[in-house]
Amino acid sequence: AGSCDGLAAIYAQLVEGVQQRCGVVLQLQASGVRGFDFVTNAVWPAFAKRILKTIPKIFTPAFPHLFHKNYQASMQFVERIEGLCAHRADLERLRAHQLHAEFLPRRNLPVSFQL
């Protein structure tokens, strides 16, 4: 219970898939084309909703070792998604997105590690 073996590999495949399949869109945004924040409005919601729905217990603190492993993999995933943002304003919009807060562990980390 609580195991999410391969989570880091899944996250890596998701980010690499976006980079490969949507590279042109990412390049357009980086060049200054505005009008649609692709990462915040398309990539992030699709990934975050799917992960939260299919792996709802990735941050269960009942198994501290797994919690820590899943937390680290998930934070690296978030950082890689944030890295897809071409501009500071895009990053700020992503971090302000409701699903950004929902995706991150909802527990107080010091309390979780005491369990």
Side-chain angles (χ1 to χ4, degrees):
S3 177
C4 293
D5 292 337
L7 187 60
I10 292 169
Y11 286 156
Q13 288 176 351
L14 292 173
V15 174
E16 289 164 10
V18 169
Q19 290 170 324
Q20 291 172 1
R21 292 180 181 93
C22 305
V24 172
V25 175
L26 294 172
Q27 288 174 354
L28 284 172
Q29 284 205 279
S31 71
V33 174
R34 296 282 182 213
F36 184 72
D37 187 343
F38 181 67
V39 175
T40 301
N41 295 317
V43 174
W44 179 246
F47 288 170
K49 286 177 186 176
R50 183 70 176 189
I51 292 164
L52 290 171
K53 182 179 178 183
T54 58
I55 320 171
K57 297 182 181 185
I58 59 174
F59 298 124
T60 300
F63 305 97
H65 175 71
L66 290 174
F67 172 88
H68 185 256
K69 184 178 176 180
N70 294 341
Y71 175 80
Q72 285 184 313
S74 297
M75 293 313 303
Q76 288 174 349
F77 172 66
V78 169
E79 288 174 8
R80 288 191 70 192
I81 292 293
E82 289 179 347
L84 297 174
C85 294
H87 305 281
R88 182 80 184 158
D90 299 339
L91 177 60
E92 290 171 3
R93 281 191 298 276
L94 175 63
R95 289 180 175 169
H97 196 284
Q98 177 186 355
L99 284 169
H100 195 274
E102 285 181 33
F103 184 80
L104 300 177
R106 293 176 209 127
R107 294 206 163 265
N108 182 328
L109 289 180
V111 171
S112 295
F113 284 111
Q114 290 175 5
L115 293 176

